[in-house]
């Protein structure tokens, strides 16, 4: 939460395997050499990049398209660009070095990272869109609970009769 200002639970996101790997490496290594991880501004600087998201599937979705799509969704999913912005902040603190493409970590004075997702989240919170989504989710949960209750009751009646 310190890096973004919101909890993962509030953002309804989940962490990528890259995130988990980075945490593991930080915990056990004195320095970390990372290969093949682009920085959070890479896609902005290379809008026509056609690198596949999965290296083993040339016809899969494109990495930058997928990052943009994920980052510009208010709820759910990986927030890849936000993760990369956080890695960039951590790089100077815990000796993380990025290669191919090579890029440097950043030293920031800001309290939180500034990414498309966080801007969208803040805007959605201000304009009430986030609240509407939360209310719709709550209603879906209530409906599902009611259906489960009615189904359980139906089965109990069937057993008795």
């Amino acid at each position: 939460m310190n890096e973004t200002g919101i909890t993962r639970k509030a953002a309804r996101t989940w962490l990528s395997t890259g995130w988990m790997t980075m945490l593991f490496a930080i915990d056990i290594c004195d320095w970390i050499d990372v290969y093949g991880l682009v920085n959070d501004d890479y896609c902005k600087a290379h809008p026509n990049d056609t690198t596949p998201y999965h290296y083993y599937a040339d016809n899969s979705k494109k990495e930058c398209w997928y990052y943009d799509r994920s980052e510009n969704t208010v709820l759910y999913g990986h927030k890849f660009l936000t993760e990369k912005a956080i890695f960039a902040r951590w790089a100077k603190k815990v000796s993380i070095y990025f290669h191919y493409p090579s890029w440097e970590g950043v030293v920031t004075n800001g309290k939180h990272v500034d990414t498309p997702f966080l801007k969208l989240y803040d805007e959605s919170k201000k304009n009430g869109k986030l609240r509407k989504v939360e209310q719709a989710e709550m209603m879906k949960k209530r409906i599902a609970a009611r259906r489960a209750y009615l189904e359980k009751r139906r089965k109990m009646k069937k057993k008795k009769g």
Side-chain angles (χ1 to χ4, degrees):
M1 182 169 145
N2 291 340
E3 299 292 349
T4 62
I6 56 176
T7 65
R8 189 183 56 77
K9 184 178 178 184
R12 293 171 184 80
T13 63
W14 53 90
L15 302 172
S16 70
T17 54
W19 178 273
M20 297 303 191
T21 303
M22 188 68 81
L23 290 180
F24 178 70
I26 288 169
D27 194 41
I28 64 168
C29 301
D30 293 328
W31 76 87
I32 304 162
D33 288 305
V34 179
Y35 292 84
L37 184 75
V38 299
N39 66 14
D40 62 309
D41 287 331
Y42 179 85
C43 294
K44 208 182 299 176
H46 302 87
N48 299 319
D49 186 82
T50 59
T51 303
Y53 175 66
H54 291 112
Y55 68 89
Y56 52 83
D58 285 339
N59 61 351
S60 73
K61 50 193 155 219
K62 302 304 176 208
E63 184 176 43
C64 286
W65 173 85
Y66 190 54
Y67 289 172
D68 182 62
R69 182 172 174 252
S70 299
E71 195 75 13
N72 287 295
T73 302
V74 179
L75 301 175
Y76 306 108
H78 295 306
K79 303 305 175 198
F80 297 105
L81 300 179
T82 299
E83 287 184 2
K84 292 167 190 312
I86 293 169
F87 294 160
R89 286 176 66 144
W90 291 352
K92 298 289 185 186
K93 296 176 188 172
V94 294
S95 300
I96 302 172
Y97 305 97
F98 301 97
H99 311 281
Y100 194 72
S102 293
W103 53 282
E104 295 289 322
V106 296
V107 176
T108 60
N109 295 326
K111 188 173 183 179
H112 306 298
V113 294
D114 185 29
T115 64
F117 165 69
L118 293 172
K119 289 175 186 173
L120 181 64
Y121 185 88
D122 287 343
E123 181 62 32
S124 296
K125 201 170 175 182
K126 286 177 190 170
N127 68 21
K129 182 180 177 184
L130 190 59
R131 183 73 183 132
K132 289 176 187 171
V133 171
E134 290 170 343
Q135 289 172 338
E137 283 182 346
M138 186 59 74
M139 185 59 71
K140 285 180 188 177
K141 287 179 183 177
R142 287 183 185 149
I143 290 169
R146 179 73 177 157
R147 284 183 180 154
Y149 167 76
L150 292 173
E151 180 63 20
K152 185 177 178 181
R153 235 174 106 190
R154 185 186 65 75
K155 286 180 181 179
M156 286 174 61
K157 281 184 180 181
K158 192 175 180 179
K159 250 186 193 179
K160 287 181 182 180

